[in-house]
Amino acid sequence: MEMKLKNIKKSEVLRLRDEVQYQEGQIVSKTLAQNEFVSLTLFAFEKGEEISTHESGGDAMVTVLDGVCRITIAGKEYRLDCGETIVMPAKVPHAVFGLERFKMLLTVVF
């Protein structure tokens, strides 16, 4: 199966954090690629916004591109700062919360 990146310029130097913008009181997402094997999505969270506890069918890797967040995996909380990464294992309950405005790249491998 062929997968191409979308919603992003090619053959150009980019800062991923600049590819998605903050919007007051919202979580903004921008899908870069998605199929049955992998999903790449950029997110911008306003402070206090969250994705409540849920499970994913694949391993979900979060890389923080800007700001600070809290990731909860199976009830344990982790604070992530810009440049840090964590993997939320498949089929394990997890949640994401904006301790302040933050942006992340979410990579899910199914």
Side-chain angles (χ1 to χ4, degrees), residues 16-33:
L16 286 178
R17 69 175 178 232
D18 295 338
E19 294 298 310
V20 64
Q21 304 307 312
Y22 293 113
Q23 289 188 11
E24 190 166 332
Q26 294 186 35
I27 299 170
V28 178
S29 67
K30 183 177 186 180
T31 301
L32 303 180

Side-chain angles (χ1 to χ4, degrees), residues 72-89:
T72 305
I73 303 171
K76 183 174 180 182
E77 294 183 356
Y78 302 86
R79 176 192 163 107
L80 277 79
D81 293 296
C82 184
E84 295 183 321
T85 299
I86 194 165
V87 175
M88 302 175 290

Side-chain angles (χ1 to χ4, degrees), residues 28-96:
V28 178
S29 67
K30 183 177 186 180
T31 301
L32 303 180
Q34 189 166 11
N35 68 22
E36 67 226 58
F37 304 110
V38 68
S39 172
L40 295 172
T41 309
L42 292 170
F43 286 89
F45 284 65
E46 277 292 326
K47 180 179 181 177
E49 293 298 317
E50 69 179 318
I51 297 175
S52 60
T53 303
H54 64 285
E55 295 179 14
S56 172
D59 290 332
M61 183 173 74
V62 168
T63 300
V64 178
L65 305 172
D66 187 39
V68 181
C69 71
R70 181 180 67 227
I71 304 286
T72 305
I73 303 171
K76 183 174 180 182
E77 294 183 356
Y78 302 86
R79 176 192 163 107
L80 277 79
D81 293 296
C82 184
E84 295 183 321
T85 299
I86 194 165
V87 175
M88 302 175 290
K91 300 182 175 142
V92 174
H94 58 267
V96 181

